[in-house]
Amino acid sequence: MSAMMRGNLRMALSNVKGAKWRSVLTMTGVIVGIVAVVTVVGIGEGVKRQVTEQLAHFGKDLITVRPGHPAKDDSLVGMGNTDVIFGMAGVSGLTTHDVDVIQHAGGAKVIAPLGVVAGTVQVGSKTFSNTPILAANHDLPAALNQKVAFGGFWDKDNENAFTAVIGKDAAADLFEENVPLGRTFTFRGQTFVVRGILSGFDSVPFSPTSSFDKAIFIPYQTAATLTHNDANLYTILVKPDDPKNTKDTMSVITRNLRAAHGGQQDFAVLGPEQTMATGSGVVKLLTTWICAVAAISLFIGGVGIMNIMLLSVTERMHEIGVRKAIGATSRQILSQFVLEATVLSVVGGVTGIILSLVVDGLLFAYTDFKPVISWRAIVVATGVSLAVGIIFGVAPAIKAARKDPIEALRHE
């Protein structure tokens, strides 16, 4: 680095320190934009990793049958796209007949329907209205590769029993204890006995499995009796006899269900890769919107830097005249003010990166989000802040460089 460049850098840092609050306000747009970009990229990468880990836990042979048909963008038409693993939406397009169709199609080792049952739970004198009640069959633990931490799941002979298996958080919320085996609750006028507590599910944001720890699972046949066969299925989980036959089993299920639905493709049969692609839709949407906001913030920050630098040129007109009078060239004046604008922007960018790391740490510690620090995003953010300073610092620098030294010396 040349002596002139070092001098300009020292002068730029001195000017930033000399007007701290003005510099901070000027850098706010850059800081906000960088924080938004780095944080949202970290969240997106974290959610993708969490989804991948959860799908790996469930197994690479898990087939998910859901209402709605896949669109070109891998979302599900007719359903909300905020479900990463299974679609727990208010749309009902699957019935017990579909379960029978899949059963008779052959090639399936595990078939586990999941349905939602509306109602409130009563434990003693307390009523709980926000506890999810899910109807399932005895194959659910095998479908999800989920263990029962205490007690056991019901078997095929107890599909009509008034029994329940609950999540670990539901145990604490309803009974205020970790192992409430044998305890009872009332649902739709019937008394259910808790026979098992599931081990904890890996939480993934935007996924209904995040609420499985708070859920109560009851036999599907029992739910059908209580609701007069109105327990809506929102997904059917299937595992083939052999993981190597996953794609073939998906094709058979699709063909048979389409025939059962009168030739209509009003359902989706998804493998693990497709499920991941479907679930990443909300992350992509979030990333797009936040990046748009970040771009606006960076533009506003750049305009702020340009305005402050124009003001600085006006305030330092006499200094510019003195420097030109003692031999400074227009290029040297230009580089000085471009460097000052760049310093402002880069300091704002570095501050934004530090704040984004703090935000990621807080999210990791206190929420279900597990952001992943993306060094690529940090490098890009640094480059963007550098570019903003150079681009928006050029106009004020040109104005300073073109000043006539005599006119500049006359300026008060």
Side-chain angles (χ1 to χ4, degrees), residues 120-159:
T120 59
V121 175
Q122 188 168 356
V123 180
S125 60
K126 295 181 179 180
T127 300
F128 301 86
S129 57
N130 295 323
T131 302
I133 309 295
L134 303 180
N137 66 3
H138 66 283
D139 278 336
L140 183 66
L144 298 179
N145 285 338
Q146 195 71 14
K147 296 180 180 180
V148 180
F150 304 99
F153 214 82
W154 64 83
D155 54 29
K156 191 172 183 179
D157 296 330
N158 293 311
E159 295 287 1

PDB file of all heavy atoms in Angstrom, residues 120-159:
ATOM      1  N   THR A 120     -61.709 -31.072  22.518  1.00  0.00           N
ATOM      2  CA  THR A 120     -60.924 -30.647  23.667  1.00  0.00           C
ATOM      3  C   THR A 120     -60.660 -31.827  24.594  1.00  0.00           C
ATOM      4  O   THR A 120     -61.424 -32.790  24.621  1.00  0.00           O
ATOM      5  CB  THR A 120     -61.645 -29.542  24.454  1.00  0.00           C
ATOM      6  OG1 THR A 120     -62.914 -30.031  24.903  1.00  0.00           O
ATOM      7  CG2 THR A 120     -61.858 -28.314  23.585  1.00  0.00           C
ATOM      8  N   VAL A 121     -59.562 -31.720  25.322  1.00  0.00           N
ATOM      9  CA  VAL A 121     -59.163 -32.769  26.260  1.00  0.00           C
ATOM     10  C   VAL A 121     -59.397 -32.265  27.681  1.00  0.00           C
ATOM     11  O   VAL A 121     -59.081 -31.119  28.001  1.00  0.00           O
ATOM     12  CB  VAL A 121     -57.679 -33.131  26.051  1.00  0.00           C
ATOM     13  CG1 VAL A 121     -57.208 -34.127  27.104  1.00  0.00           C
ATOM     14  CG2 VAL A 121     -57.465 -33.689  24.652  1.00  0.00           C
ATOM     15  N   GLN A 122     -59.937 -33.142  28.502  1.00  0.00           N
ATOM     16  CA  GLN A 122     -60.168 -32.770  29.897  1.00  0.00           C
ATOM     17  C   GLN A 122     -59.407 -33.724  30.814  1.00  0.00           C
ATOM     18  O   GLN A 122     -59.539 -34.945  30.721  1.00  0.00           O
ATOM     19  CB  GLN A 122     -61.663 -32.803  30.227  1.00  0.00           C
ATOM     20  CG  GLN A 122     -61.971 -32.241  31.610  1.00  0.00           C
ATOM     21  CD  GLN A 122     -63.455 -32.000  31.818  1.00  0.00           C
ATOM     22  OE1 GLN A 122     -64.246 -32.192  30.900  1.00  0.00           O
ATOM     23  NE2 GLN A 122     -63.835 -31.579  33.019  1.00  0.00           N
ATOM     24  N   VAL A 123     -58.595 -33.139  31.691  1.00  0.00           N
ATOM     25  CA  VAL A 123     -57.860 -33.897  32.695  1.00  0.00           C
ATOM     26  C   VAL A 123     -58.278 -33.356  34.061  1.00  0.00           C
ATOM     27  O   VAL A 123     -57.896 -32.239  34.432  1.00  0.00           O
ATOM     28  CB  VAL A 123     -56.342 -33.774  32.514  1.00  0.00           C
ATOM     29  CG1 VAL A 123     -55.611 -34.591  33.584  1.00  0.00           C
ATOM     30  CG2 VAL A 123     -55.925 -34.240  31.124  1.00  0.00           C
ATOM     31  N   GLY A 124     -59.086 -34.126  34.770  1.00  0.00           N
ATOM     32  CA  GLY A 124     -59.628 -33.639  36.031  1.00  0.00           C
ATOM     33  C   GLY A 124     -60.529 -32.452  35.778  1.00  0.00           C
ATOM     34  O   GLY A 124     -61.461 -32.507  34.962  1.00  0.00           O
ATOM     35  N   SER A 125     -60.231 -31.333  36.391  1.00  0.00           N
ATOM     36  CA  SER A 125     -61.038 -30.120  36.216  1.00  0.00           C
ATOM     37  C   SER A 125     -60.465 -29.187  35.160  1.00  0.00           C
ATOM     38  O   SER A 125     -61.043 -28.135  34.875  1.00  0.00           O
ATOM     39  CB  SER A 125     -61.135 -29.372  37.553  1.00  0.00           C
ATOM     40  OG  SER A 125     -59.834 -29.007  38.016  1.00  0.00           O
ATOM     41  N   LYS A 126     -59.324 -29.574  34.556  1.00  0.00           N
ATOM     42  CA  LYS A 126     -58.676 -28.726  33.564  1.00  0.00           C
ATOM     43  C   LYS A 126     -59.071 -29.137  32.149  1.00  0.00           C
ATOM     44  O   LYS A 126     -59.187 -30.321  31.841  1.00  0.00           O
ATOM     45  CB  LYS A 126     -57.154 -28.797  33.709  1.00  0.00           C
ATOM     46  CG  LYS A 126     -56.642 -28.234  35.035  1.00  0.00           C
ATOM     47  CD  LYS A 126     -55.123 -28.320  35.081  1.00  0.00           C
ATOM     48  CE  LYS A 126     -54.573 -27.749  36.388  1.00  0.00           C
ATOM     49  NZ  LYS A 126     -53.083 -27.833  36.430  1.00  0.00           N
ATOM     50  N   THR A 127     -59.261 -28.132  31.298  1.00  0.00           N
ATOM     51  CA  THR A 127     -59.604 -28.372  29.894  1.00  0.00           C
ATOM     52  C   THR A 127     -58.505 -27.822  28.999  1.00  0.00           C
ATOM     53  O   THR A 127     -58.045 -26.693  29.193  1.00  0.00           O
ATOM     54  CB  THR A 127     -60.946 -27.698  29.537  1.00  0.00           C
ATOM     55  OG1 THR A 127     -61.977 -28.233  30.366  1.00  0.00           O
ATOM     56  CG2 THR A 127     -61.303 -27.956  28.079  1.00  0.00           C
ATOM     57  N   PHE A 128     -58.101 -28.624  28.022  1.00  0.00           N
ATOM     58  CA  PHE A 128     -57.041 -28.232  27.088  1.00  0.00           C
ATOM     59  C   PHE A 128     -57.611 -28.230  25.678  1.00  0.00           C
ATOM     60  O   PHE A 128     -58.047 -29.271  25.171  1.00  0.00           O
ATOM     61  CB  PHE A 128     -55.856 -29.197  27.186  1.00  0.00           C
ATOM     62  CG  PHE A 128     -55.236 -29.274  28.556  1.00  0.00           C
ATOM     63  CD1 PHE A 128     -55.748 -30.143  29.513  1.00  0.00           C
ATOM     64  CD2 PHE A 128     -54.155 -28.470  28.885  1.00  0.00           C
ATOM     65  CE1 PHE A 128     -55.181 -30.217  30.772  1.00  0.00           C
ATOM     66  CE2 PHE A 128     -53.581 -28.542  30.144  1.00  0.00           C
ATOM     67  CZ  PHE A 128     -54.099 -29.407  31.104  1.00  0.00           C
ATOM     68  N   SER A 129     -57.612 -27.054  25.061  1.00  0.00           N
ATOM     69  CA  SER A 129     -58.200 -26.928  23.721  1.00  0.00           C
ATOM     70  C   SER A 129     -57.164 -26.871  22.605  1.00  0.00           C
ATOM     71  O   SER A 129     -57.517 -26.967  21.423  1.00  0.00           O
ATOM     72  CB  SER A 129     -59.081 -25.668  23.653  1.00  0.00           C
ATOM     73  OG  SER A 129     -58.317 -24.511  23.989  1.00  0.00           O
ATOM     74  N   ASN A 130     -55.896 -26.704  22.947  1.00  0.00           N
ATOM     75  CA  ASN A 130     -54.859 -26.560  21.923  1.00  0.00           C
ATOM     76  C   ASN A 130     -53.991 -27.802  21.756  1.00  0.00           C
ATOM     77  O   ASN A 130     -52.957 -27.749  21.096  1.00  0.00           O
ATOM     78  CB  ASN A 130     -53.955 -25.364  22.263  1.00  0.00           C
ATOM     79  CG  ASN A 130     -54.705 -24.046  22.221  1.00  0.00           C
ATOM     80  OD1 ASN A 130     -55.578 -23.855  21.378  1.00  0.00           O
ATOM     81  ND2 ASN A 130     -54.371 -23.144  23.133  1.00  0.00           N
ATOM     82  N   THR A 131     -54.396 -28.900  22.365  1.00  0.00           N
ATOM     83  CA  THR A 131     -53.625 -30.140  22.246  1.00  0.00           C
ATOM     84  C   THR A 131     -54.044 -30.881  20.984  1.00  0.00           C
ATOM     85  O   THR A 131     -55.213 -31.242  20.834  1.00  0.00           O
ATOM     86  CB  THR A 131     -53.843 -31.042  23.465  1.00  0.00           C
ATOM     87  OG1 THR A 131     -53.471 -30.336  24.652  1.00  0.00           O
ATOM     88  CG2 THR A 131     -53.011 -32.307  23.348  1.00  0.00           C
ATOM     89  N   PRO A 132     -53.123 -31.125  20.043  1.00  0.00           N
ATOM     90  CA  PRO A 132     -53.489 -31.845  18.812  1.00  0.00           C
ATOM     91  C   PRO A 132     -53.877 -33.294  19.130  1.00  0.00           C
ATOM     92  O   PRO A 132     -53.160 -33.994  19.853  1.00  0.00           O
ATOM     93  CB  PRO A 132     -52.215 -31.797  17.972  1.00  0.00           C
ATOM     94  CG  PRO A 132     -51.365 -30.734  18.592  1.00  0.00           C
ATOM     95  CD  PRO A 132     -51.709 -30.712  20.030  1.00  0.00           C
ATOM     96  N   ILE A 133     -55.010 -33.731  18.587  1.00  0.00           N
ATOM     97  CA  ILE A 133     -55.449 -35.125  18.705  1.00  0.00           C
ATOM     98  C   ILE A 133     -55.292 -35.762  17.335  1.00  0.00           C
ATOM     99  O   ILE A 133     -55.964 -35.364  16.377  1.00  0.00           O
ATOM    100  CB  ILE A 133     -56.916 -35.240  19.167  1.00  0.00           C
ATOM    101  CG1 ILE A 133     -57.154 -34.387  20.414  1.00  0.00           C
ATOM    102  CG2 ILE A 133     -57.269 -36.695  19.421  1.00  0.00           C
ATOM    103  CD1 ILE A 133     -56.391 -34.837  21.630  1.00  0.00           C
ATOM    104  N   LEU A 134     -54.390 -36.736  17.226  1.00  0.00           N
ATOM    105  CA  LEU A 134     -54.103 -37.364  15.949  1.00  0.00           C
ATOM    106  C   LEU A 134     -54.516 -38.825  15.984  1.00  0.00           C
ATOM    107  O   LEU A 134     -54.239 -39.544  16.949  1.00  0.00           O
ATOM    108  CB  LEU A 134     -52.611 -37.256  15.624  1.00  0.00           C
ATOM    109  CG  LEU A 134     -52.033 -35.836  15.602  1.00  0.00           C
ATOM    110  CD1 LEU A 134     -50.547 -35.870  15.264  1.00  0.00           C
ATOM    111  CD2 LEU A 134     -52.776 -34.967  14.603  1.00  0.00           C
ATOM    112  N   ALA A 135     -55.198 -39.234  14.927  1.00  0.00           N
ATOM    113  CA  ALA A 135     -55.622 -40.626  14.792  1.00  0.00           C
ATOM    114  C   ALA A 135     -54.588 -41.381  13.968  1.00  0.00           C
ATOM    115  O   ALA A 135     -54.159 -40.914  12.912  1.00  0.00           O
ATOM    116  CB  ALA A 135     -56.990 -40.686  14.120  1.00  0.00           C
ATOM    117  N   ALA A 136     -54.165 -42.533  14.460  1.00  0.00           N
ATOM    118  CA  ALA A 136     -53.147 -43.330  13.778  1.00  0.00           C
ATOM    119  C   ALA A 136     -53.420 -44.803  14.018  1.00  0.00           C
ATOM    120  O   ALA A 136     -54.313 -45.163  14.787  1.00  0.00           O
ATOM    121  CB  ALA A 136     -51.750 -42.949  14.277  1.00  0.00           C
ATOM    122  N   ASN A 137     -52.646 -45.644  13.339  1.00  0.00           N
ATOM    123  CA  ASN A 137     -52.768 -47.071  13.609  1.00  0.00           C
ATOM    124  C   ASN A 137     -51.481 -47.594  14.248  1.00  0.00           C
ATOM    125  O   ASN A 137     -50.557 -46.829  14.528  1.00  0.00           O
ATOM    126  CB  ASN A 137     -53.119 -47.847  12.325  1.00  0.00           C
ATOM    127  CG  ASN A 137     -51.986 -47.806  11.286  1.00  0.00           C
ATOM    128  OD1 ASN A 137     -50.915 -47.252  11.527  1.00  0.00           O
ATOM    129  ND2 ASN A 137     -52.242 -48.391  10.131  1.00  0.00           N
ATOM    130  N   HIS A 138     -51.419 -48.878  14.469  1.00  0.00           N
ATOM    131  CA  HIS A 138     -50.296 -49.461  15.197  1.00  0.00           C
ATOM    132  C   HIS A 138     -48.976 -49.394  14.433  1.00  0.00           C
ATOM    133  O   HIS A 138     -47.905 -49.631  15.008  1.00  0.00           O
ATOM    134  CB  HIS A 138     -50.606 -50.930  15.534  1.00  0.00           C
ATOM    135  CG  HIS A 138     -50.708 -51.784  14.307  1.00  0.00           C
ATOM    136  ND1 HIS A 138     -51.820 -51.791  13.490  1.00  0.00           N
ATOM    137  CD2 HIS A 138     -49.830 -52.660  13.752  1.00  0.00           C
ATOM    138  CE1 HIS A 138     -51.625 -52.641  12.493  1.00  0.00           C
ATOM    139  NE2 HIS A 138     -50.428 -53.185  12.629  1.00  0.00           N
ATOM    140  N   ASP A 139     -49.023 -49.066  13.124  1.00  0.00           N
ATOM    141  CA  ASP A 139     -47.803 -49.017  12.310  1.00  0.00           C
ATOM    142  C   ASP A 139     -47.075 -47.671  12.410  1.00  0.00           C
ATOM    143  O   ASP A 139     -45.998 -47.527  11.813  1.00  0.00           O
ATOM    144  CB  ASP A 139     -48.152 -49.271  10.837  1.00  0.00           C
ATOM    145  CG  ASP A 139     -48.277 -50.755  10.525  1.00  0.00           C
ATOM    146  OD1 ASP A 139     -47.670 -51.555  11.261  1.00  0.00           O
ATOM    147  OD2 ASP A 139     -48.981 -51.106   9.565  1.00  0.00           O
ATOM    148  N   LEU A 140     -47.632 -46.716  13.128  1.00  0.00           N
ATOM    149  CA  LEU A 140     -47.017 -45.382  13.149  1.00  0.00           C
ATOM    150  C   LEU A 140     -45.570 -45.394  13.640  1.00  0.00           C
ATOM    151  O   LEU A 140     -44.705 -44.787  12.990  1.00  0.00           O
ATOM    152  CB  LEU A 140     -47.856 -44.427  14.004  1.00  0.00           C
ATOM    153  CG  LEU A 140     -47.342 -42.984  14.046  1.00  0.00           C
ATOM    154  CD1 LEU A 140     -47.461 -42.341  12.671  1.00  0.00           C
ATOM    155  CD2 LEU A 140     -48.101 -42.163  15.084  1.00  0.00           C
ATOM    156  N   PRO A 141     -45.220 -46.037  14.746  1.00  0.00           N
ATOM    157  CA  PRO A 141     -43.810 -46.031  15.181  1.00  0.00           C
ATOM    158  C   PRO A 141     -42.865 -46.613  14.133  1.00  0.00           C
ATOM    159  O   PRO A 141     -41.751 -46.115  13.941  1.00  0.00           O
ATOM    160  CB  PRO A 141     -43.831 -46.888  16.455  1.00  0.00           C
ATOM    161  CG  PRO A 141     -45.226 -46.792  16.960  1.00  0.00           C
ATOM    162  CD  PRO A 141     -46.076 -46.743  15.726  1.00  0.00           C
ATOM    163  N   ALA A 142     -43.301 -47.652  13.438  1.00  0.00           N
ATOM    164  CA  ALA A 142     -42.456 -48.256  12.404  1.00  0.00           C
ATOM    165  C   ALA A 142     -42.295 -47.318  11.217  1.00  0.00           C
ATOM    166  O   ALA A 142     -41.219 -47.250  10.603  1.00  0.00           O
ATOM    167  CB  ALA A 142     -43.054 -49.585  11.955  1.00  0.00           C
ATOM    168  N   ALA A 143     -43.365 -46.569  10.879  1.00  0.00           N
ATOM    169  CA  ALA A 143     -43.303 -45.650   9.745  1.00  0.00           C
ATOM    170  C   ALA A 143     -42.348 -44.498  10.015  1.00  0.00           C
ATOM    171  O   ALA A 143     -41.622 -44.049   9.126  1.00  0.00           O
ATOM    172  CB  ALA A 143     -44.694 -45.117   9.423  1.00  0.00           C
ATOM    173  N   LEU A 144     -42.327 -44.011  11.256  1.00  0.00           N
ATOM    174  CA  LEU A 144     -41.513 -42.855  11.603  1.00  0.00           C
ATOM    175  C   LEU A 144     -40.172 -43.228  12.235  1.00  0.00           C
ATOM    176  O   LEU A 144     -39.389 -42.336  12.568  1.00  0.00           O
ATOM    177  CB  LEU A 144     -42.283 -41.947  12.574  1.00  0.00           C
ATOM    178  CG  LEU A 144     -43.591 -41.349  12.060  1.00  0.00           C
ATOM    179  CD1 LEU A 144     -44.237 -40.492  13.137  1.00  0.00           C
ATOM    180  CD2 LEU A 144     -43.355 -40.523  10.800  1.00  0.00           C
ATOM    181  N   ASN A 145     -39.924 -44.526  12.409  1.00  0.00           N
ATOM    182  CA  ASN A 145     -38.725 -44.974  13.131  1.00  0.00           C
ATOM    183  C   ASN A 145     -38.637 -44.297  14.501  1.00  0.00           C
ATOM    184  O   ASN A 145     -37.562 -43.893  14.953  1.00  0.00           O
ATOM    185  CB  ASN A 145     -37.452 -44.658  12.324  1.00  0.00           C
ATOM    186  CG  ASN A 145     -37.279 -45.605  11.158  1.00  0.00           C
ATOM    187  OD1 ASN A 145     -37.827 -46.700  11.146  1.00  0.00           O
ATOM    188  ND2 ASN A 145     -36.535 -45.171  10.151  1.00  0.00           N
ATOM    189  N   GLN A 146     -39.784 -44.168  15.133  1.00  0.00           N
ATOM    190  CA  GLN A 146     -39.854 -43.463  16.414  1.00  0.00           C
ATOM    191  C   GLN A 146     -40.044 -44.465  17.554  1.00  0.00           C
ATOM    192  O   GLN A 146     -40.895 -45.350  17.478  1.00  0.00           O
ATOM    193  CB  GLN A 146     -41.024 -42.466  16.410  1.00  0.00           C
ATOM    194  CG  GLN A 146     -40.986 -41.448  17.509  1.00  0.00           C
ATOM    195  CD  GLN A 146     -39.877 -40.421  17.314  1.00  0.00           C
ATOM    196  OE1 GLN A 146     -39.306 -40.312  16.239  1.00  0.00           O
ATOM    197  NE2 GLN A 146     -39.567 -39.671  18.353  1.00  0.00           N
ATOM    198  N   LYS A 147     -39.262 -44.310  18.600  1.00  0.00           N
ATOM    199  CA  LYS A 147     -39.341 -45.220  19.738  1.00  0.00           C
ATOM    200  C   LYS A 147     -40.338 -44.714  20.775  1.00  0.00           C
ATOM    201  O   LYS A 147     -40.600 -43.522  20.880  1.00  0.00           O
ATOM    202  CB  LYS A 147     -37.963 -45.383  20.381  1.00  0.00           C
ATOM    203  CG  LYS A 147     -36.919 -46.030  19.479  1.00  0.00           C
ATOM    204  CD  LYS A 147     -35.582 -46.151  20.198  1.00  0.00           C
ATOM    205  CE  LYS A 147     -34.536 -46.796  19.303  1.00  0.00           C
ATOM    206  NZ  LYS A 147     -33.222 -46.915  19.993  1.00  0.00           N
ATOM    207  N   VAL A 148     -40.876 -45.660  21.522  1.00  0.00           N
ATOM    208  CA  VAL A 148     -41.729 -45.331  22.662  1.00  0.00           C
ATOM    209  C   VAL A 148     -40.824 -45.333  23.888  1.00  0.00           C
ATOM    210  O   VAL A 148     -40.266 -46.363  24.262  1.00  0.00           O
ATOM    211  CB  VAL A 148     -42.882 -46.333  22.824  1.00  0.00           C
ATOM    212  CG1 VAL A 148     -43.754 -45.961  24.013  1.00  0.00           C
ATOM    213  CG2 VAL A 148     -43.720 -46.378  21.543  1.00  0.00           C
ATOM    214  N   ALA A 149     -40.658 -44.152  24.500  1.00  0.00           N
ATOM    215  CA  ALA A 149     -39.715 -44.024  25.611  1.00  0.00           C
ATOM    216  C   ALA A 149     -40.183 -44.780  26.848  1.00  0.00           C
ATOM    217  O   ALA A 149     -39.394 -45.419  27.540  1.00  0.00           O
ATOM    218  CB  ALA A 149     -39.506 -42.544  25.945  1.00  0.00           C
ATOM    219  N   PHE A 150     -41.482 -44.706  27.126  1.00  0.00           N
ATOM    220  CA  PHE A 150     -42.048 -45.375  28.307  1.00  0.00           C
ATOM    221  C   PHE A 150     -43.356 -46.053  27.902  1.00  0.00           C
ATOM    222  O   PHE A 150     -44.125 -45.536  27.102  1.00  0.00           O
ATOM    223  CB  PHE A 150     -42.315 -44.371  29.432  1.00  0.00           C
ATOM    224  CG  PHE A 150     -41.112 -43.577  29.835  1.00  0.00           C
ATOM    225  CD1 PHE A 150     -40.912 -42.288  29.356  1.00  0.00           C
ATOM    226  CD2 PHE A 150     -40.166 -44.117  30.688  1.00  0.00           C
ATOM    227  CE1 PHE A 150     -39.807 -41.555  29.722  1.00  0.00           C
ATOM    228  CE2 PHE A 150     -39.043 -43.391  31.068  1.00  0.00           C
ATOM    229  CZ  PHE A 150     -38.864 -42.115  30.579  1.00  0.00           C
ATOM    230  N   GLY A 151     -43.588 -47.253  28.459  1.00  0.00           N
ATOM    231  CA  GLY A 151     -44.796 -47.991  28.107  1.00  0.00           C
ATOM    232  C   GLY A 151     -44.664 -48.623  26.747  1.00  0.00           C
ATOM    233  O   GLY A 151     -43.587 -49.075  26.339  1.00  0.00           O
ATOM    234  N   GLY A 152     -45.740 -48.630  25.994  1.00  0.00           N
ATOM    235  CA  GLY A 152     -45.722 -49.229  24.665  1.00  0.00           C
ATOM    236  C   GLY A 152     -46.844 -48.691  23.799  1.00  0.00           C
ATOM    237  O   GLY A 152     -47.789 -48.051  24.277  1.00  0.00           O
ATOM    238  N   PHE A 153     -46.718 -48.933  22.484  1.00  0.00           N
ATOM    239  CA  PHE A 153     -47.751 -48.526  21.538  1.00  0.00           C
ATOM    240  C   PHE A 153     -48.800 -49.634  21.473  1.00  0.00           C
ATOM    241  O   PHE A 153     -48.510 -50.786  21.779  1.00  0.00           O
ATOM    242  CB  PHE A 153     -47.135 -48.292  20.161  1.00  0.00           C
ATOM    243  CG  PHE A 153     -47.786 -47.180  19.381  1.00  0.00           C
ATOM    244  CD1 PHE A 153     -47.430 -45.858  19.612  1.00  0.00           C
ATOM    245  CD2 PHE A 153     -48.761 -47.454  18.427  1.00  0.00           C
ATOM    246  CE1 PHE A 153     -48.019 -44.829  18.885  1.00  0.00           C
ATOM    247  CE2 PHE A 153     -49.348 -46.436  17.709  1.00  0.00           C
ATOM    248  CZ  PHE A 153     -48.988 -45.116  17.935  1.00  0.00           C
ATOM    249  N   TRP A 154     -50.008 -49.269  21.058  1.00  0.00           N
ATOM    250  CA  TRP A 154     -51.019 -50.313  20.945  1.00  0.00           C
ATOM    251  C   TRP A 154     -50.731 -51.223  19.750  1.00  0.00           C
ATOM    252  O   TRP A 154     -50.032 -50.834  18.813  1.00  0.00           O
ATOM    253  CB  TRP A 154     -52.418 -49.706  20.826  1.00  0.00           C
ATOM    254  CG  TRP A 154     -52.655 -48.876  19.592  1.00  0.00           C
ATOM    255  CD1 TRP A 154     -52.996 -49.330  18.357  1.00  0.00           C
ATOM    256  CD2 TRP A 154     -52.567 -47.459  19.482  1.00  0.00           C
ATOM    257  NE1 TRP A 154     -53.114 -48.288  17.470  1.00  0.00           N
ATOM    258  CE2 TRP A 154     -52.867 -47.126  18.136  1.00  0.00           C
ATOM    259  CE3 TRP A 154     -52.272 -46.430  20.366  1.00  0.00           C
ATOM    260  CZ2 TRP A 154     -52.881 -45.810  17.679  1.00  0.00           C
ATOM    261  CZ3 TRP A 154     -52.292 -45.123  19.911  1.00  0.00           C
ATOM    262  CH2 TRP A 154     -52.582 -44.835  18.584  1.00  0.00           C
ATOM    263  N   ASP A 155     -51.252 -52.435  19.787  1.00  0.00           N
ATOM    264  CA  ASP A 155     -51.018 -53.382  18.690  1.00  0.00           C
ATOM    265  C   ASP A 155     -52.275 -53.492  17.828  1.00  0.00           C
ATOM    266  O   ASP A 155     -53.272 -52.787  18.043  1.00  0.00           O
ATOM    267  CB  ASP A 155     -50.602 -54.754  19.229  1.00  0.00           C
ATOM    268  CG  ASP A 155     -51.595 -55.308  20.251  1.00  0.00           C
ATOM    269  OD1 ASP A 155     -52.797 -54.965  20.160  1.00  0.00           O
ATOM    270  OD2 ASP A 155     -51.175 -56.059  21.145  1.00  0.00           O
ATOM    271  N   LYS A 156     -52.206 -54.378  16.857  1.00  0.00           N
ATOM    272  CA  LYS A 156     -53.285 -54.502  15.887  1.00  0.00           C
ATOM    273  C   LYS A 156     -54.603 -54.911  16.538  1.00  0.00           C
ATOM    274  O   LYS A 156     -55.685 -54.569  16.042  1.00  0.00           O
ATOM    275  CB  LYS A 156     -52.882 -55.541  14.823  1.00  0.00           C
ATOM    276  CG  LYS A 156     -53.795 -55.565  13.607  1.00  0.00           C
ATOM    277  CD  LYS A 156     -53.213 -56.484  12.537  1.00  0.00           C
ATOM    278  CE  LYS A 156     -54.087 -56.467  11.277  1.00  0.00           C
ATOM    279  NZ  LYS A 156     -53.513 -57.347  10.222  1.00  0.00           N
ATOM    280  N   ASP A 157     -54.534 -55.627  17.648  1.00  0.00           N
ATOM    281  CA  ASP A 157     -55.752 -56.106  18.300  1.00  0.00           C
ATOM    282  C   ASP A 157     -56.445 -55.023  19.124  1.00  0.00           C
ATOM    283  O   ASP A 157     -57.543 -55.235  19.627  1.00  0.00           O
ATOM    284  CB  ASP A 157     -55.423 -57.301  19.214  1.00  0.00           C
ATOM    285  CG  ASP A 157     -54.922 -58.497  18.420  1.00  0.00           C
ATOM    286  OD1 ASP A 157     -55.345 -58.647  17.256  1.00  0.00           O
ATOM    287  OD2 ASP A 157     -54.095 -59.265  18.949  1.00  0.00           O
ATOM    288  N   ASN A 158     -55.790 -53.863  19.286  1.00  0.00           N
ATOM    289  CA  ASN A 158     -56.357 -52.799  20.124  1.00  0.00           C
ATOM    290  C   ASN A 158     -56.698 -51.542  19.325  1.00  0.00           C
ATOM    291  O   ASN A 158     -56.726 -50.444  19.872  1.00  0.00           O
ATOM    292  CB  ASN A 158     -55.368 -52.422  21.239  1.00  0.00           C
ATOM    293  CG  ASN A 158     -55.180 -53.542  22.239  1.00  0.00           C
ATOM    294  OD1 ASN A 158     -56.143 -54.111  22.725  1.00  0.00           O
ATOM    295  ND2 ASN A 158     -53.924 -53.875  22.525  1.00  0.00           N
ATOM    296  N   GLU A 159     -56.991 -51.724  18.038  1.00  0.00           N
ATOM    297  CA  GLU A 159     -57.307 -50.575  17.195  1.00  0.00           C
ATOM    298  C   GLU A 159     -58.639 -49.930  17.556  1.00  0.00           C
ATOM    299  O   GLU A 159     -58.944 -48.819  17.111  1.00  0.00           O
ATOM    300  CB  GLU A 159     -57.325 -50.983  15.706  1.00  0.00           C
ATOM    301  CG  GLU A 159     -55.985 -51.420  15.150  1.00  0.00           C
ATOM    302  CD  GLU A 159     -55.021 -50.243  14.942  1.00  0.00           C
ATOM    303  OE1 GLU A 159     -55.390 -49.094  15.243  1.00  0.00           O
ATOM    304  OE2 GLU A 159     -53.889 -50.491  14.490  1.00  0.00           O
TER     305      GLU A 159
END
